[in-house]
Amino acid sequence: MISKAWPNQNLIKKSFPIIGMHCASCARLIEKKLVGVPGVVACAVNYGSEQATVEIDEKVKDKDLANAVSDIGYKAVIEAEGEKTPDEVKEGVKIEELKKLRTKVIVSAVLSSIIFLGSFPEWFGISLNPFVLWLLSTPVQFWAGWEFYLATWSGLRNRAASMDTLISIGTSAAYGYSILSLFGITSGTYFDTAAVIITLILLGRFLEAKAKAYTSDAIKKLLGLQAKTARVLRGGREVDISIEEVKVGDLIRVRPGEKIPVDGVITEGTSSVDESMVTGESLPVDKIKGDAVIGATLNKNGSLIFKATKVGKDTMLSQIVKMVSEAQSSRAPIQRLADSVSSYFVPVVLMVAVAVFVVWYVLGMPLLAFVNMVAVLIIACPCAMGLATPTAIMVGTGKGAEKGILIKDAAALETAHKIKTIIFDKTGTLTIGKPSVTDVSDPKTAEIAASLEVGSEHSLAEAIISYAVQKKIKTHKVTGFKAVPGAGIEGTIEGQKYFFGNRGEKSEMVQKLEDEGKTVMLLESGGKILGYIAVADTLKEGVSETVGLLEKRGIEVWMVTGDNERTAKAIAKQTGIKNVMAQVLPHDKADKVKEMKSAISHKSSAIGFVGDGINDAPALAASDVGIAMGTGTDVAIESAGITLLNHDIRSVLTAIDLSRVTLRVIKQNLFWAFGYNATLIPVAAGILYPFTGWLLNPALAAFAMAASSISVVGNSLRLKGVKI
Amino acid sequence: MDKTLTILGGVSLVALIWWFFFGKREEVIIVADGKIDVLVEGGYKPSVIKIKKGQKTIISLLRKDPNSCLEEFILPDFKISKFLPVNQKVDIEITPDKSGEFGFHCGMNMFHGKVVVE
């Protein structure tokens, strides 16, 4: 430790990692350099933990420290305070705003309560001098309510109006009218009305801002998954560096229980990895050398070394965050009406308020004319309309991301529940996409076949060998191995010559297996068939269950494949799919989708296509809702509206359900927002007065207006708890 | 007399409101060099931005208005939503691949403008 501290100085202690030290003398060198920086009074660099700790006065900038360290060939990783992410800036501003708003709400609530109590001596027995009421309401009007004036002024300069315009005009009218009455020009004071309106609207804004913060929780949660540091192997040693410093090609060590910092490929070790937080896949996935790992997932039990392949904004997590935030910024088609109404809303309400005043005045009730005009200005709530769709989309897409369902835009989320026809690609979507052994006549056949296949390069050999490994079947040495093109393979084991392929007479059993769409290979020796092995691409878990549930909902399910009719029908039978399009070449899939689209006349029905792989991209794009399996390529994901990261075919149903519940909430919100304004504006205008004698007190109007925005946000937040 | 004056006054006020808000001429700016500054103060100045199809354009937003209504800038057709800190320039980049009119608005959908792609 090098120190030049002296007492009574205001010092800050700061620690940060240093990269690039080779020995203890490096640490001393850095200490000397850092303590030479003006304002640094003490410095200790620990070579073991690769950390520097400095005591500095407030004037020392992070940049000065970083530059000093880099001058001598090392690197200091200091979190620069000036380089906050936009989200952090927003968070900071929001916290500050909420604090200010809270103070205003508390102060104006206290003042408004006194004003209110003092305004109705007949109810509360307290009588306050009108001039005292004026004095008390002035800070509420011009301090707490100052933001309404500011916003109104800046809007008017631009010939635009907002909710603030309505509030400032409404409360100023009540406040101004009351002052005139103090001097005998008018009668009656409404200081209480103005103060209570401002307090309630501010309280509404405060609660709304708090609730709105929860709607963007999903992104925060996703970002929170990110590991902060990575243990990189450099120069034969393991060095902890910040995640931003990791480069493609770095070898990274992950111990059991640690998070995998970035995307990569395992080069050493085996483990099972919990990927649920990113992909929604519920079971841990076993990983061996050569397997891909995803950043932000949790390494469970083994120690791994992997090579970083994607870092920074290219990692899967960053891509997910980008996609979710883009989807949340997109516009749902259903929002268009609210969009067009909101452009006219405030000016129209201003005109209605003037008309209300005129009508009541002409009817000979000047006081009602005034009160009703203020009530109309205050009750109108354009905010609820503006919040109705975006808040629900935000919560809905966030909920999807939590379940491994990535939604590209609001339009896809809105359309998915309209799917009346769904087309599944077969290979890789309904099936695993890799052949595996399904039937074996007897263990001896498997033993001989596996031994022969060791030397084969045929695509089915892999299936048989992995079957043998899995069943722990021992293999024998083969001599005279030969591949017979188009027929099979032959070889000699322990002096006996075998042939394994499609040659020979097929038994009834073999015929039956072939009818099921399986590829059957026969083992023959000396002209006699010894046994058979059937290989087929197997169905993914949950396929028939999903097909059944889709049909139960009245959705027509189709399968499209390049396979021949017989294989296609066999697979379709296993899945329960009744409609099959076989022998469809990859580039024709999109045409098939278009054909079906044109056949549907009903506009409210949509066609969904579920697929993976590059050759599905045109079909995914051609459908109304493209759903890509997460195992698919990036291209497929680009062309799809919805991506199922969890590889689970059952999530097709979840996605449709998510769309349905989100749409329901949007419709409820819009109905509420439009219904609220359409009903209460006329009530505030006094339309019920001639029939029932009902009028809306402007203070009550303020309460209703504040409650309406909050209830829309609250209704959207309800989506978080909905079970799908 | 009173009533007549009130009616006349009311009608003129409604007409004035109509003229004031709906009769304004939108300020249109044609972007020539791929960059445009937009002032966010009581709305967007300019509020109509014309750009060419396929042309990469940077819209540089400067919010001077503390009104929280304007804190968010949303251009939904381009999936853009940006938080605008007061007195701090925020750049957004777009390269439109189709022509048409694409509206943008504030977080509360109160203030509007549009990008016209030709």
Side-chain angles (χ1 to χ4, degrees):
Chain A
M1 171 111 170
I2 302 179
S3 173
K4 56 180 185 187
W6 53 91
N8 304 327
Q9 200 178 354
N10 241 352
L11 297 176
I12 308 164
K13 209 171 192 175
K14 194 168 222 158
S15 287
F16 47 87
I18 302 271
I19 301 169
M21 286 191 286
H22 318 292
C23 56
S25 61
C26 294
R28 297 293 85 76
L29 186 65
I30 296 167
E31 275 179 358
K32 272 191 200 155
K33 183 75 187 176
L34 278 174
V35 94
V37 175
V40 176
V41 293
C43 172
V45 176
N46 186 323
Y47 168 60
S49 65
E50 293 176 308
Q51 285 274 329
T53 307
V54 288
E55 279 185 63
I56 51 177
D57 69 30
E58 296 154 337
K59 287 175 207 130
V60 179
K61 291 189 182 115
D62 287 342
K63 218 172 92 191
D64 301 336
L65 299 172
N67 286 346
V69 176
S70 70
D71 280 348
I72 46 172
Y74 307 94
K75 189 167 167 52
V77 187
I78 310 178
E79 219 172 297
E81 281 171 3
E83 290 170 21
K84 283 184 181 165
T85 63
D87 284 320
E88 284 166 344
V89 174
K90 183 179 174 178
E91 187 103 5
V93 172
K94 287 276 128 193
I95 290 171
E96 198 53 40
E97 267 179 20
L98 272 178
K99 248 199 228 161
K100 275 190 196 158
L101 202 48
R102 196 166 162 260
T103 317
K104 283 189 173 178
V105 169
I106 293 171
V107 174
S108 49
V110 171
L111 290 173
S112 301
S113 306
I114 302 170
I115 297 165
F116 189 71
L117 291 173
S119 298
F120 299 96
E122 64 276 25
W123 295 350
F124 306 108
I126 309 166
S127 177
L128 285 181
N129 183 304
F131 282 92
V132 174
L133 293 178
W134 180 21
L135 192 72
L136 290 173
S137 66
T138 302
V140 180
Q141 188 73 28
F142 296 110
W143 171 72
W146 188 239
E147 60 182 273
F148 301 123
Y149 286 108
L150 273 183
T152 304
W153 175 236
S154 66
L156 290 180
R157 280 197 308 171
N158 209 26
R159 292 171 78 169
S162 68
M163 202 192 100
D164 301 85
T165 319
L166 300 176
I167 295 161
S168 59
I169 295 178
T171 55
S172 303
Y175 180 83
Y177 182 94
S178 311
I179 295 175
L180 292 182
S181 81
L182 287 186
F183 300 101
I185 304 166
T186 54
S187 63
T189 62
Y190 293 98
F191 288 122
D192 59 308
T193 306
V196 170
I197 289 170
I198 288 175
T199 306
L200 284 173
I201 304 273
L202 288 176
L203 175 68
R205 279 202 179 172
F206 177 74
L207 296 176
E208 184 189 305
K210 285 202 115 176
K212 256 175 88 184
Y214 291 110
T215 60
S216 56
D217 261 3
I219 300 259
K220 266 188 236 153
K221 259 193 212 166
L222 282 169
L223 287 170
L225 292 174
Q226 185 79 59
K228 301 274 179 292
T229 57
R231 189 168 302 122
V232 178
L233 305 181
R234 283 195 181 153
R237 287 194 313 113
E238 292 178 9
V239 191
D240 278 338
I241 61 171
S242 83
I243 192 106
E244 292 81 17
E245 309 275 324
V246 179
K247 292 188 195 78
V248 170
D250 274 343
L251 288 174
I252 299 167
R253 153 98 64 201
V254 189
R255 297 199 181 119
E258 285 181 346
K259 268 186 188 169
I260 292 169
V262 294
D263 296 359
V265 174
I266 297 175
T267 56
E268 225 181 289
T270 57
S271 183
S272 77
V273 177
D274 179 0
E275 296 184 340
S276 59
M277 57 294 279
V278 178
T279 67
E281 170 103 49
S282 51
L283 293 173
V285 188
D286 290 330
K287 303 268 180 183
I288 56 169
K289 187 181 167 183
D291 282 348
V293 286
I294 307 168
T297 57
L298 188 69
N299 177 32
K300 303 274 281 189
N301 45 21
S303 183
L304 295 172
I305 294 179
F306 75 96
K307 194 176 183 179
T309 54
K310 282 179 179 169
V311 300
K313 64 176 176 26
D314 298 324
T315 62
M316 187 164 172
L317 183 73
S318 303
Q319 294 291 323
I320 293 174
V321 168
K322 184 169 170 252
M323 204 159 161
V324 174
S325 66
E326 280 184 354
Q328 294 183 337
S329 313
S330 67
R331 187 208 322 257
I334 197 168
Q335 198 185 329
R336 292 198 188 277
L337 177 64
D339 277 3
S340 46
V341 170
S342 69
S343 315
Y344 301 100
F345 190 83
V346 176
V348 168
V349 169
L350 286 173
M351 289 188 250
V352 170
V354 173
V356 166
F357 181 86
V358 172
V359 170
W360 283 103
Y361 193 87
V362 170
L363 290 174
M365 288 175 263
L367 206 58
L368 282 190
F370 177 74
V371 173
N372 291 348
M373 179 192 76
V374 173
V376 166
L377 290 172
I378 299 303
I379 196 99
C381 183
C383 295
M385 281 189 289
L387 293 168
T389 313
T391 51
I393 294 285
M394 280 185 93
V395 182
T397 46
K399 178 145 181 132
E402 259 172 44
K403 293 192 166 276
I405 300 167
L406 265 193
I407 290 150
K408 199 166 98 179
D409 52 31
L413 186 62
E414 186 182 325
T415 319
H417 82 291
K418 291 185 194 159
I419 292 178
K420 284 283 168 275
T421 307
I422 195 161
I423 309 166
F424 285 93
D425 165 56
K426 194 206 85 179
T427 313
T429 305
L430 292 175
T431 64
I432 289 166
K434 262 200 324 199
S436 59
V437 172
T438 55
D439 303 83
V440 178
S441 59
D442 58 291
K444 187 70 187 168
T445 302
E447 204 177 303
I448 305 288
S451 309
L452 291 169
E453 290 286 14
V454 170
S456 168
E457 283 168 0
H458 196 273
S459 60
L460 299 178
E462 202 186 320
I464 294 171
I465 293 164
S466 67
Y467 174 80
V469 171
Q470 202 187 340
K471 297 275 174 193
K472 296 192 175 123
I473 294 170
K474 61 170 185 184
T475 51
H476 305 271
K477 198 180 166 205
V478 179
T479 55
F481 176 84
K482 207 171 95 187
V484 184
I489 49 173
E490 62 179 36
T492 306
I493 295 169
E494 290 166 357
Q496 193 172 348
K497 200 174 172 188
Y498 294 96
F499 180 85
F500 185 62
N502 56 13
R503 208 167 64 187
E505 202 180 315
K506 287 168 182 169
S507 65
E508 219 174 273
M509 184 63 188
V510 172
Q511 287 283 359
K512 189 180 158 261
L513 290 170
E514 282 191 342
D515 285 343
E516 285 171 14
K518 294 169 181 170
T519 306
V520 187
M521 283 166 292
L522 305 170
L523 182 68
E524 179 228 292
S525 183
K528 206 177 141 200
I529 302 290
L530 304 175
Y532 62 83
I533 292 182
V535 173
D537 190 0
T538 46
L539 282 186
K540 279 188 182 168
E541 212 183 311
V543 170
S544 18
E545 178 193 336
T546 307
V547 170
L549 287 169
L550 285 168
E551 283 185 339
K552 216 170 155 186
R553 294 180 184 195
I555 298 173
E556 200 174 271
V557 184
W558 284 77
M559 184 180 91
V560 63
T561 174
D563 290 347
N564 63 49
E565 194 94 23
R566 190 172 73 160
T567 315
K569 282 206 166 140
I571 292 280
K573 201 177 159 196
Q574 287 177 49
T575 59
I577 296 177
K578 296 177 193 80
N579 314 299
V580 180
M581 286 182 271
Q583 281 173 309
V584 179
L585 293 171
H587 57 269
D588 291 335
K589 285 182 190 169
D591 291 336
K592 289 278 172 198
V593 172
K594 283 180 201 155
E595 265 172 43
M596 292 185 84
K597 255 173 94 168
S598 57
I600 293 179
S601 53
H602 212 279
K603 268 195 167 175
S604 63
S605 308
I607 291 198
F609 185 92
V610 190
D612 73 329
I614 292 177
N615 63 43
D616 286 338
L620 287 167
S623 64
D624 295 313
V625 186
I627 303 178
M629 302 301 286
T631 41
T633 58
D634 290 343
V635 181
I637 293 171
E638 261 307 293
S639 350
I642 296 174
T643 302
L644 307 179
L645 289 175
N646 56 13
H647 319 159
D648 190 344
I649 196 95
R650 286 170 285 214
S651 292
V652 170
L653 279 165
T654 319
I656 295 175
D657 283 341
L658 181 68
S659 161
R660 189 172 43 80
V661 293
T662 309
L663 245 288
R664 196 170 59 205
V665 166
I666 291 176
K667 283 182 183 163
Q668 285 166 353
N669 284 352
L670 287 174
F671 180 77
W672 170 254
F674 278 100
Y676 165 88
N677 284 300
T679 318
L680 291 185
I681 292 178
V683 172
I687 205 163
L688 294 178
Y689 186 73
F691 314 105
T692 59
W694 290 353
L695 281 175
L696 197 62
N697 182 307
L700 260 180
F703 177 77
M705 155 34 191
S708 99
S709 300
I710 298 167
S711 56
V712 162
V713 179
N715 195 35
S716 296
L717 283 174
R718 206 170 51 82
L719 267 177
K720 279 189 174 193
V722 171
K723 276 205 174 139
I724 47 167
Chain B
M1 184 65 191
D2 238 22
K3 289 180 182 173
T4 320
L5 274 180
T6 309
I7 293 172
L8 277 177
V11 170
S12 340
L13 198 51
V14 167
L16 181 73
I17 295 170
W18 181 277
W19 168 81
F20 188 78
F21 291 109
F22 301 135
K24 68 171 173 181
R25 277 181 50 190
E26 279 164 334
E27 196 186 344
V28 183
I29 294 282
I30 300 166
V31 183
D33 57 351
K35 191 162 188 234
I36 171 105
D37 288 315
V38 174
L39 181 66
V40 184
E41 198 174 21
Y44 303 100
K45 291 174 203 164
S47 57
V48 181
I49 303 163
K50 271 193 185 172
I51 57 177
K52 283 206 179 82
K53 188 175 149 186
Q55 180 191 349
K56 187 173 109 180
T57 305
I58 293 169
I59 302 174
S60 191
L61 299 150
L62 178 63
R63 175 182 161 212
K64 291 236 168 163
D65 194 331
N67 175 13
S68 64
C69 197
L70 284 159
E71 68 184 15
E72 205 98 33
F73 174 84
I74 301 173
L75 179 54
D77 295 301
F78 291 85
K79 295 184 185 174
I80 287 167
S81 151
K82 283 269 182 188
F83 180 76
L84 311 175
V86 181
N87 291 327
Q88 208 172 308
K89 272 197 174 177
V90 174
D91 286 354
I92 58 164
E93 190 186 301
I94 53 169
T95 311
D97 54 5
K98 55 182 177 217
S99 44
E101 290 191 356
F102 306 99
F104 55 79
H105 53 82
C106 68
M108 290 277 198
N109 215 340
M110 291 279 126
F111 297 99
H112 302 91
K114 61 188 172 194
V115 174
V116 181
V117 181
E118 290 178 329

